[in-house]
Amino acid sequence: LADNVATSISKKLSGSQLQANIINTIISRAFPKTLSHISYLPLLLIFALIASYISLKKSPIFNVVAFTGLIGLGPLIGILGFHYGWIINITAPCITLFVTFFIGILLRFLTEEQEKREIKNLFNQYVSPAVVKELLGNRKEYQLPMVKKEASVLFIDIREFTAYSAAYPPELIISQVNEFLNAMTDVITAYGGTIDKYIGDSIMAVWGSPLPQADHALLAVRAGIAQLQKMKELQEKWHQ
């Protein structure tokens, strides 16, 4: 009664039954079969491709569900294989899944962070850092259809630019225009404005859109005054 042993399929099996199963296996020559290491390569490749696609293309929730399902598929394959006389090593496929999912999610995270930084740097050229932070933090809120709203628009350009550009070398004109646009842009973003477009030597800026600003008109006026002061500084510099 005490001759009981634990096996891979039973926690308590009598020793006599175990010995009988061993003798039957030897007589019938129904030995469990194993796969060669090379035979695992297609399985590992399939698991790696599936995990790579899911981790890079699907949502985080889908990743969790798929990873759990595929990891659970490993033991199921092992049990079915054993039932039909095959001993299948499921350790390698499971490790492949885990490593591939981890690398895929890491690459996706790094790529998305890089894209977010590029978008942020691009937006910083046209809007203030506060506006960029708000837009990136609440992207769904601002993905809305066009709406009618009150806003303030400022246009600024170089007076008599056509005649001025005809009288001086192109290299000098380009240098001064770039310096002018950079300086005016800095003033606009400092006062919370958004660059709508550059048109040659002119700039169109907006306050009150895309983010609401209760004092948009005041900010636009203050920006215009600051630009006039900045323009005087540039003129003094260019006349030297």
Side-chain angles (χ1 to χ4, degrees):
L1 295 176
D3 185 19
N4 295 319
V5 294
T7 67
S8 58
I9 59 173
S10 175
K11 293 182 179 181
K12 189 176 182 180
L13 184 68
S14 66
S16 58
Q17 186 177 355
L18 176 62
Q19 297 298 326
N21 286 334
I22 294 174
I23 294 172
N24 179 66
T25 300
I26 295 173
I27 294 174
S28 63
R29 303 190 64 81
F31 301 109
K33 298 177 285 294
T34 59
L35 295 174
S36 64
H37 294 301
I38 298 178
S39 302
Y40 283 100
L41 292 180
L43 181 62
L44 296 179
L45 181 59
I46 292 173
F47 272 46
L49 291 175
I50 294 175
S52 298
Y53 175 78
I54 294 175
S55 61
L56 293 174
K57 300 295 184 180
K58 299 299 181 178
S59 66
I61 296 178
F62 192 93
N63 269 265
V64 173
V65 174
F67 177 76
T68 304
L70 289 173
I71 287 293
L73 187 62
L76 179 61
I77 292 174
I79 294 172
L80 289 176
F82 187 80
H83 179 74
Y84 288 100
W86 288 89
I87 297 177
I88 300 176
N89 182 3
I90 64 171
T91 304
C94 290
I95 292 176
T96 301
L97 275 177
F98 178 80
V99 173
T100 307
F101 264 103
F102 177 79
I103 294 176
I105 293 173
L106 180 62
L107 289 175
R108 183 173 179 175
F109 172 77
L110 294 176
T111 301
E112 290 181 352
E113 285 298 310
Q114 178 64 27
E115 291 177 351
K116 185 178 290 188
R117 283 194 295 269
E118 291 176 356
I119 293 173
K120 186 175 181 179
N121 292 335
L122 179 63
F123 267 87
N124 279 333
Q125 300 177 21
Y126 300 95
V127 298
S128 66
V131 175
V132 174
K133 184 177 180 181
E134 178 68 18
L135 289 174
L136 292 178
N138 301 278
R139 284 179 287 183
K140 290 184 178 180
E141 181 179 347
Y142 298 105
Q143 292 177 350
L144 301 175
M146 290 185 294
V147 295
K148 185 177 180 180
K149 62 170 60 177
E150 182 179 334
S152 298
V153 181
L154 181 146
F155 293 90
I156 182 171
D157 64 355
I158 300 176
R159 184 172 53 190
E160 299 180 358
F161 177 72
T162 302
Y164 181 80
S165 60
Y168 292 92
E171 295 81 4
L172 177 63
I173 297 300
I174 292 174
S175 175
Q176 291 182 345
V177 169
N178 287 337
E179 189 174 7
F180 164 77
L181 293 177
N182 288 334
M184 298 302 107
T185 298
D186 290 342
V187 172
I188 291 170
T189 56
Y191 283 88
T194 299
I195 303 297
D196 182 84
K197 62 176 66 71
Y198 294 97
I199 313 170
D201 64 308
S202 63
I203 304 175
M204 176 181 173
V206 182
W207 281 260
S209 179
L211 301 183
Q213 293 169 299
D215 55 346
H216 57 83
L218 179 61
L219 290 172
V221 172
R222 288 177 175 175
I225 295 173
Q227 285 177 325
L228 291 175
Q229 179 60 39
K230 189 64 179 181
M231 193 64 216
K232 290 181 181 179
E233 297 175 6
L234 291 176
Q235 289 173 335
E236 294 175 358
K237 176 182 176 181
W238 294 340
H239 289 158
Q240 291 178 356

